[in-house]
Coordinates of all heavy atoms in Angstrom, one line a residue:
M400 N 117.3 103.3 129.2 CA 116.1 103.0 128.4 C 115.8 104.1 127.4 O 116.2 105.3 127.6 CB 114.9 102.9 129.5 CG 114.9 101.6 130.2 SD 113.5 101.5 131.2 CE 114.2 102.0 132.7
R401 N 115.0 103.7 126.4 CA 114.7 104.6 125.4 C 113.2 104.6 125.0 O 112.7 103.5 125.1 CB 115.6 104.3 124.1 CG 115.4 105.2 123.0 CD 116.3 104.7 121.8 NE 117.6 104.4 122.2 CZ 118.7 105.2 122.0 NH1 118.6 106.3 121.4 NH2 119.9 104.8 122.5
V402 N 112.6 105.7 124.7 CA 111.2 105.7 124.3 C 111.2 105.4 122.8 O 112.0 105.9 122.0 CB 110.6 107.1 124.5 CG1 109.2 107.1 124.0 CG2 110.7 107.5 126.1
S403 N 110.4 104.4 122.5 CA 110.3 104.0 121.0 C 109.5 105.1 120.2 O 109.0 106.0 120.8 CB 109.5 102.6 120.9 OG 108.2 102.8 121.2
A404 N 109.6 104.9 118.9 CA 108.8 105.8 118.0 C 107.4 105.8 118.3 O 106.6 106.8 118.1 CB 109.1 105.4 116.6
E405 N 106.8 104.7 118.9 CA 105.4 104.6 119.3 C 105.1 105.2 120.7 O 104.0 105.1 121.1 CB 104.9 103.2 119.2 CG 104.9 102.6 117.8 CD 106.3 102.1 117.3 OE1 107.2 101.8 118.3 OE2 106.6 102.0 116.1
G406 N 106.2 105.7 121.3 CA 106.0 106.2 122.7 C 106.0 105.1 123.7 O 105.5 105.4 124.9
Q407 N 106.6 104.0 123.5 CA 106.6 102.9 124.4 C 107.9 102.8 125.1 O 109.0 103.0 124.5 CB 106.2 101.6 123.7 CG 104.8 101.6 123.1 CD 104.6 100.3 122.3 OE1 105.6 99.7 121.8 NE2 103.4 100.0 122.1
V408 N 107.9 102.3 126.4 CA 109.1 102.0 127.2 C 108.9 100.7 127.9 O 107.8 100.4 128.3 CB 109.3 103.1 128.3 CG1 110.4 102.8 129.2 CG2 109.5 104.5 127.6
T409 N 109.9 99.8 127.9 CA 109.8 98.6 128.6 C 110.2 98.8 130.0 O 111.3 99.3 130.3 CB 110.7 97.5 127.9 OG1 110.2 97.3 126.6 CG2 110.6 96.2 128.6
I410 N 109.3 98.4 131.0 CA 109.7 98.6 132.4 C 110.4 97.2 132.8 O 109.9 96.2 132.6 CB 108.5 98.7 133.3 CG1 107.7 100.0 132.8 CG2 108.8 98.8 134.7 CD1 106.3 100.0 133.4
P411 N 111.7 97.4 133.3 CA 112.4 96.1 133.6 C 111.7 95.3 134.7 O 110.9 95.8 135.5 CB 113.7 96.7 134.3 CG 113.9 98.1 133.7 CD 112.4 98.6 133.5
A412 N 111.8 94.0 134.5 CA 111.1 93.0 135.4 C 111.2 93.3 136.9 O 110.3 93.2 137.7 CB 111.5 91.6 135.1
E413 N 112.5 93.6 137.3 CA 112.7 93.9 138.8 C 111.9 95.1 139.3 O 111.4 95.1 140.4 CB 114.2 94.0 139.1 CG 114.8 95.2 138.3 CD 116.3 95.1 138.4 OE1 116.9 94.1 138.3 OE2 116.9 96.3 138.4
I414 N 111.7 96.1 138.4 CA 110.9 97.3 138.8 C 109.5 96.9 138.8 O 108.7 97.3 139.7 CB 111.2 98.4 137.9 CG1 112.7 98.9 138.1 CG2 110.3 99.6 138.1 CD1 113.2 99.9 137.1
R415 N 109.0 96.2 137.8 CA 107.6 95.7 137.8 C 107.2 94.9 139.0 O 106.2 95.1 139.6 CB 107.3 94.9 136.5 CG 107.4 95.7 135.2 CD 106.8 94.9 134.1 NE 107.3 93.5 133.9 CZ 108.3 93.2 133.1 NH1 108.9 94.1 132.4 NH2 108.6 91.9 133.1
E416 N 108.1 94.0 139.4 CA 107.9 93.2 140.6 C 107.8 94.1 141.9 O 106.9 93.9 142.7 CB 108.9 92.1 140.7 CG 108.8 91.1 139.7 CD 110.0 90.1 139.7 OE1 110.8 90.1 140.7 OE2 110.2 89.3 138.7
K417 N 108.7 95.0 142.0 CA 108.7 95.8 143.2 C 107.5 96.7 143.3 O 107.0 97.0 144.3 CB 110.0 96.7 143.2 CG 111.2 96.0 143.6 CD 112.4 96.9 143.6 CE 113.7 96.2 143.9 NZ 114.9 97.1 144.0
A418 N 107.0 97.2 142.1 CA 105.9 98.1 142.0 C 104.5 97.3 142.0 O 103.5 97.9 142.1 CB 106.0 99.0 140.9
G419 N 104.6 96.0 141.9 CA 103.4 95.2 141.9 C 102.6 95.3 140.5 O 101.4 95.2 140.5
L420 N 103.3 95.6 139.5 CA 102.7 95.7 138.2 C 102.7 94.4 137.4 O 103.7 93.9 136.8 CB 103.5 96.8 137.3 CG 103.6 98.1 137.9 CD1 104.5 99.0 137.1 CD2 102.2 98.8 138.1
R421 N 101.6 93.7 137.5 CA 101.4 92.4 136.9 C 100.8 92.7 135.4 O 100.4 93.7 135.1 CB 100.3 91.6 137.6 CG 100.8 91.3 139.0 CD 99.8 90.3 139.7 NE 100.1 90.2 141.1 CZ 99.4 90.9 142.1 NH1 98.4 91.6 141.8 NH2 99.8 90.7 143.3
P422 N 100.9 91.6 134.6 CA 100.2 91.8 133.3 C 98.8 92.2 133.4 O 98.1 91.8 134.3 CB 100.3 90.4 132.7 CG 101.5 89.8 133.4 CD 101.5 90.3 134.8
D423 N 98.4 93.1 132.5 CA 97.0 93.7 132.5 C 96.7 94.6 133.6 O 95.6 95.0 133.8 CB 96.0 92.6 132.4 CG 96.1 91.8 131.1 OD1 96.4 92.4 130.1 OD2 95.9 90.6 131.2
T424 N 97.7 95.1 134.4 CA 97.5 96.0 135.5 C 97.3 97.4 134.8 O 98.0 97.8 133.9 CB 98.7 96.2 136.4 OG1 98.9 94.9 137.0 CG2 98.5 97.2 137.4
E425 N 96.2 98.1 135.2 CA 95.9 99.4 134.7 C 96.8 100.4 135.5 O 97.0 100.2 136.7 CB 94.5 99.8 134.9 CG 93.5 99.0 134.1 CD 93.5 99.4 132.6 OE1 93.8 100.6 132.3 OE2 93.2 98.5 131.8
V426 N 97.5 101.3 134.8 CA 98.3 102.3 135.4 C 97.9 103.7 135.1 O 97.2 103.9 134.1 CB 99.8 102.1 135.0 CG1 100.4 100.8 135.5 CG2 100.0 102.3 133.5
T427 N 98.3 104.6 136.0 CA 98.0 106.1 135.8 C 99.4 106.7 135.8 O 100.3 106.4 136.5 CB 97.2 106.6 137.0 OG1 96.0 105.9 137.0 CG2 96.9 108.1 136.8
F428 N 99.5 107.7 134.9 CA 100.7 108.5 134.8 C 100.5 109.8 135.6 O 99.5 110.5 135.4 CB 101.1 108.9 133.4 CG 101.5 107.7 132.6 CD1 100.5 106.9 131.9 CD2 102.8 107.3 132.5 CE1 100.9 105.8 131.2 CE2 103.2 106.2 131.8 CZ 102.3 105.5 131.1
V429 N 101.3 110.1 136.6 CA 101.2 111.3 137.4 C 102.4 112.2 137.1 O 103.6 111.8 137.2 CB 101.3 110.9 138.9 CG1 101.2 112.1 139.8 CG2 100.2 109.9 139.3
V430 N 102.1 113.4 136.6 CA 103.1 114.3 136.2 C 103.3 115.4 137.3 O 102.3 116.0 137.7 CB 102.7 115.0 134.9 CG1 103.8 116.0 134.4 CG2 102.5 114.0 133.8
E431 N 104.5 115.5 137.8 CA 104.9 116.4 138.8 C 106.1 117.2 138.3 O 107.2 116.8 138.5 CB 105.1 115.7 140.1 CG 103.9 114.9 140.7 CD 104.3 114.0 141.8 OE1 105.5 113.7 142.0 OE2 103.4 113.6 142.6
G432 N 105.8 118.4 137.8 CA 106.9 119.2 137.2 C 107.5 118.5 136.0 O 106.7 118.1 135.1
S433 N 108.8 118.1 136.0 CA 109.4 117.4 134.9 C 109.5 115.9 135.2 O 110.2 115.2 134.5 CB 110.8 118.0 134.6 OG 111.6 117.8 135.7
T434 N 108.9 115.5 136.3 CA 108.9 114.1 136.7 C 107.6 113.4 136.4 O 106.5 113.9 136.6 CB 109.2 113.9 138.2 OG1 110.4 114.6 138.5 CG2 109.2 112.5 138.7
V435 N 107.7 112.2 135.8 CA 106.5 111.4 135.6 C 106.6 110.1 136.4 O 107.6 109.4 136.4 CB 106.5 111.0 134.1 CG1 105.2 110.1 133.8 CG2 106.4 112.2 133.2
R436 N 105.5 109.8 137.2 CA 105.5 108.6 138.0 C 104.4 107.7 137.4 O 103.3 108.2 136.9 CB 105.0 108.9 139.4 CG 106.1 109.6 140.2 CD 105.8 109.8 141.7 NE 104.5 110.4 141.9 CZ 103.6 109.9 142.7 NH1 103.8 108.7 143.3 NH2 102.4 110.5 142.9
I437 N 104.6 106.4 137.4 CA 103.7 105.4 136.9 C 103.2 104.7 138.2 O 103.9 104.1 138.9 CB 104.3 104.4 135.9 CG1 104.8 105.1 134.7 CG2 103.2 103.4 135.5 CD1 105.6 104.2 133.8
V438 N 101.8 104.7 138.4 CA 101.3 104.1 139.6 C 100.1 103.3 139.2 O 99.4 103.6 138.2 CB 100.8 105.2 140.6 CG1 102.0 106.0 141.2 CG2 99.8 106.1 140.1
P439 N 99.9 102.1 139.9 CA 98.8 101.2 139.6 C 97.5 102.1 139.8 O 97.4 102.8 140.8 CB 98.9 100.1 140.6 CG 100.3 100.1 141.1 CD 100.7 101.6 141.0
T440 N 96.5 101.9 138.9 CA 95.2 102.6 139.0 C 94.4 101.9 140.1 O 94.4 100.6 140.1 CB 94.5 102.6 137.7 OG1 95.3 103.2 136.7 CG2 93.2 103.3 137.8
Q441 N 93.8 102.6 140.9 CA 92.9 102.0 141.9 C 91.6 101.6 141.2 O 91.0 102.5 140.7 CB 92.6 103.0 143.1 CG 93.8 103.4 143.9 CD 94.5 102.2 144.6 OE1 93.8 101.3 145.0 NE2 95.8 102.2 144.6
S442 N 91.3 100.3 141.2 CA 90.2 99.9 140.5 C 89.5 98.8 141.3 O 90.1 98.1 142.1 CB 90.5 99.4 139.1 OG 91.3 98.2 139.2
P443 N 88.3 98.5 141.0 CA 87.6 97.4 141.7 C 87.9 96.0 141.2 O 87.4 95.0 141.7 CB 86.1 97.7 141.4 CG 86.1 98.4 140.1 CD 87.4 99.2 140.1
L444 N 88.8 95.9 140.2 CA 89.2 94.6 139.7 C 90.0 93.8 140.7 O 90.7 94.4 141.4 CB 90.1 94.9 138.4 CG 89.4 95.6 137.2 CD1 90.4 95.7 136.1 CD2 88.2 94.7 136.7
P445 N 89.8 92.5 140.7 CA 90.6 91.7 141.6 C 92.1 91.9 141.4 O 92.5 92.0 140.3 CB 90.2 90.3 141.2 CG 88.9 90.4 140.4 CD 88.9 91.7 139.8
Q446 N 92.8 91.8 142.5 CA 94.3 92.0 142.4 C 95.0 90.7 142.3 O 96.0 90.6 141.6 CB 94.7 92.9 143.5 CG 94.1 94.3 143.5 CD 94.5 95.0 142.3 OE1 95.7 95.1 141.9 NE2 93.6 95.6 141.6
S447 N 94.7 89.7 143.2 CA 95.5 88.5 143.2 C 95.1 87.6 142.0 O 94.0 87.7 141.5 CB 95.3 87.7 144.5 OG 94.0 87.1 144.5
R448 N 96.0 86.7 141.7 CA 95.8 85.7 140.6 C 94.5 84.9 140.9 O 93.7 84.6 140.1 CB 97.0 84.9 140.4 CG 96.9 83.8 139.4 CD 97.0 84.3 138.0 NE 97.0 83.2 137.1 CZ 96.3 83.2 136.0 NH1 95.6 84.2 135.7 NH2 96.3 82.2 135.2
G449 N 94.4 84.4 142.2 CA 93.2 83.6 142.6 C 92.0 84.4 142.4 O 91.0 83.8 141.9
E450 N 91.9 85.6 142.8 CA 90.7 86.4 142.6 C 90.4 86.6 141.1 O 89.2 86.6 140.7 CB 90.9 87.8 143.3 CG 90.9 87.7 144.8 CD 91.2 89.0 145.5 OE1 92.0 89.8 144.9 OE2 90.7 89.3 146.6
Q451 N 91.4 86.8 140.3 CA 91.2 86.9 138.8 C 90.6 85.7 138.3 O 89.7 85.7 137.5 CB 92.5 87.3 138.1 CG 93.0 88.7 138.4 CD 94.4 88.9 137.8 OE1 94.9 88.1 137.1 NE2 95.0 90.0 138.1
L452 N 91.1 84.5 138.7 CA 90.6 83.2 138.2 C 89.1 83.0 138.6 O 88.3 82.6 137.8 CB 91.4 82.1 138.7 CG 92.8 81.9 138.1 CD1 93.6 80.9 138.8 CD2 92.7 81.5 136.6
I453 N 88.8 83.3 139.9 CA 87.4 83.2 140.3 C 86.5 84.1 139.6 O 85.4 83.7 139.2 CB 87.4 83.4 141.9 CG1 88.1 82.3 142.6 CG2 86.0 83.6 142.3 CD1 88.3 82.4 144.1
A454 N 86.9 85.4 139.4 CA 86.1 86.3 138.6 C 85.9 85.8 137.2 O 84.8 86.0 136.7 CB 86.7 87.7 138.6
H455 N 86.9 85.2 136.6 CA 86.8 84.7 135.3 C 85.8 83.5 135.2 O 85.0 83.4 134.2 CB 88.1 84.3 134.8 CG 88.1 83.7 133.4 ND1 87.9 84.4 132.2 CD2 88.3 82.4 133.0 CE1 88.0 83.6 131.2 NE2 88.2 82.3 131.7
L456 N 85.8 82.7 136.2 CA 85.0 81.5 136.2 C 83.6 81.7 136.7 O 82.6 80.9 136.4 CB 85.6 80.4 137.0 CG 87.0 79.8 136.4 CD1 87.6 78.9 137.4 CD2 86.7 79.2 135.1
R457 N 83.4 82.8 137.5 CA 82.1 83.0 138.1 C 80.9 83.1 137.0 O 81.1 83.7 136.0 CB 82.1 84.3 138.9 CG 80.9 84.6 139.7 CD 81.0 85.8 140.6 NE 82.2 85.9 141.4 CZ 82.4 85.3 142.5 NH1 81.5 84.5 143.0 NH2 83.5 85.4 143.2
G458 N 79.9 82.3 137.3 CA 78.7 82.3 136.5 C 78.8 81.4 135.3 O 78.0 81.4 134.4
R459 N 79.9 80.6 135.2 CA 80.1 79.7 134.0 C 79.6 78.3 134.2 O 79.5 77.6 133.3 CB 81.6 79.7 133.6 CG 82.1 81.0 133.1 CD 83.6 80.9 132.7 NE 84.1 82.1 132.2 CZ 84.4 82.3 130.9 NH1 84.3 81.4 130.1 NH2 84.8 83.5 130.6
G460 N 79.3 78.0 135.4 CA 78.7 76.6 135.7 C 77.4 76.5 135.1 O 76.5 77.3 135.1
D461 N 77.1 75.2 134.6 CA 75.8 75.0 134.0 C 75.1 73.8 134.7 O 74.1 73.3 134.2 CB 75.9 74.7 132.5 CG 76.8 73.5 132.2 OD1 77.4 72.9 133.2 OD2 77.0 73.2 131.0
V462 N 75.5 73.5 135.9 CA 74.9 72.4 136.6 C 74.0 73.1 137.7 O 74.4 74.0 138.4 CB 76.0 71.5 137.3 CG1 75.3 70.4 138.2 CG2 76.9 70.9 136.3
N463 N 72.7 72.6 137.7 CA 71.8 73.2 138.7 C 71.8 72.3 140.0 O 70.9 71.5 140.2 CB 70.4 73.2 138.0 CG 69.4 74.0 138.8 OD1 69.8 74.8 139.7 ND2 68.1 73.9 138.6
M464 N 72.9 72.5 140.8 CA 73.0 71.8 142.1 C 73.3 72.8 143.1 O 73.9 73.9 142.9 CB 74.2 70.8 142.0 CG 74.0 69.7 140.9 SD 75.5 68.7 140.8 CE 75.3 67.7 142.3
T465 N 73.0 72.5 144.4 CA 73.3 73.3 145.5 C 74.7 73.1 145.9 O 75.4 72.1 145.5 CB 72.4 73.0 146.7 OG1 72.7 71.7 147.2 CG2 70.9 73.1 146.4
T466 N 75.3 74.0 146.7 CA 76.7 73.8 147.1 C 76.8 72.5 147.9 O 77.8 71.8 147.8 CB 77.1 75.0 148.0 OG1 77.0 76.2 147.2 CG2 78.5 74.9 148.5
D467 N 75.8 72.2 148.8 CA 75.9 71.0 149.6 C 75.9 69.8 148.7 O 76.6 68.8 149.0 CB 74.7 71.0 150.5 CG 74.8 72.0 151.7 OD1 75.9 72.4 152.0 OD2 73.7 72.4 152.2
E468 N 75.1 69.8 147.6 CA 75.1 68.6 146.7 C 76.5 68.5 146.0 O 77.0 67.4 145.9 CB 74.0 68.8 145.7 CG 72.6 68.7 146.2 CD 71.5 69.1 145.2 OE1 71.8 70.0 144.3 OE2 70.4 68.5 145.3
I469 N 77.1 69.6 145.6 CA 78.4 69.5 145.0 C 79.4 69.0 145.9 O 80.3 68.2 145.6 CB 78.7 70.9 144.4 CG1 77.8 71.2 143.2 CG2 80.2 70.9 143.9 CD1 77.9 72.7 142.8
M470 N 79.4 69.5 147.2 CA 80.3 69.1 148.2 C 80.2 67.6 148.5 O 81.2 66.9 148.7 CB 80.2 69.9 149.5 CG 80.6 71.4 149.3 SD 82.2 71.6 148.7 CE 83.2 71.0 150.0
A471 N 79.0 67.1 148.5 CA 78.7 65.7 148.8 C 79.4 64.9 147.6 O 80.0 63.8 147.9 CB 77.2 65.4 148.9
L472 N 79.3 65.3 146.4 CA 79.9 64.6 145.3 C 81.4 64.6 145.4 O 82.0 63.6 145.2 CB 79.5 65.3 144.0 CG 78.1 64.9 143.4 CD1 77.8 65.8 142.2 CD2 78.0 63.5 143.1
T473 N 82.0 65.7 145.8 CA 83.5 65.8 145.9 C 84.0 65.0 147.0 O 85.1 64.5 147.0 CB 83.9 67.2 146.0 OG1 83.4 67.8 147.2 CG2 83.5 68.1 144.8
R474 N 83.2 64.7 148.0 CA 83.6 63.9 149.2 C 83.3 62.5 149.0 O 83.6 61.7 149.9 CB 82.9 64.5 150.4 CG 83.4 65.9 150.8 CD 82.7 66.3 152.1 NE 83.1 67.6 152.4 CZ 82.3 68.7 152.8 NH1 81.0 68.4 152.9 NH2 82.8 69.8 153.1
G475 N 82.6 62.1 147.9 CA 82.3 60.7 147.7 C 81.1 60.3 148.5 O 81.0 59.1 148.8
E476 N 80.3 61.1 149.0 CA 79.2 60.7 149.9 C 77.9 60.3 149.0 O 77.7 60.7 148.0 CB 78.7 61.9 150.8 CG 79.8 62.3 151.7 CD 79.5 63.6 152.5 OE1 78.4 64.1 152.3 OE2 80.3 64.0 153.3

């Protein structure tokens, strides 16, 4: 691998998968002597795809119904 003129390096897919580095994952660079480690930043952001989708959709509903009313509609009651 080579560092680009902009200081960028492409992390191979197999390494990203093993390290759990998904798109938009915040990372931290840890320098230990002449070694640099890239680790996911511990953040309160949702980690799983499902949690990310729910966080994105939260608060977007514009229907003034209770959960029970919505469930009754989905069940055909």
Side-chain angles (χ1 to χ4, degrees):
M400 281 183 264
R401 184 180 312 258
V402 177
S403 72
E405 294 82 21
Q407 298 172 336
V408 175
T409 300
I410 303 170
E413 60 194 33
I414 294 174
R415 290 192 312 264
E416 289 173 13
K417 285 181 182 179
L420 300 175
R421 297 184 191 103
D423 297 322
T424 298
E425 293 286 331
V426 296
T427 301
F428 292 88
V429 179
V430 180
E431 298 169 342
S433 62
T434 301
V435 178
R436 292 188 305 127
I437 301 172
V438 295
T440 301
Q441 297 298 323
S442 68
L444 297 176
Q446 296 299 311
S447 75
R448 176 78 174 134
E450 289 172 326
Q451 289 175 7
L452 287 170
I453 289 171
H455 176 74
L456 294 172
R457 190 175 307 280
R459 292 181 179 250
D461 60 359
V462 177
N463 193 14
M464 298 174 73
T465 67
T466 302
D467 290 334
E468 291 169 330
I469 294 170
M470 294 305 294
L472 281 175
T473 61
R474 294 181 181 136
E476 296 174 0

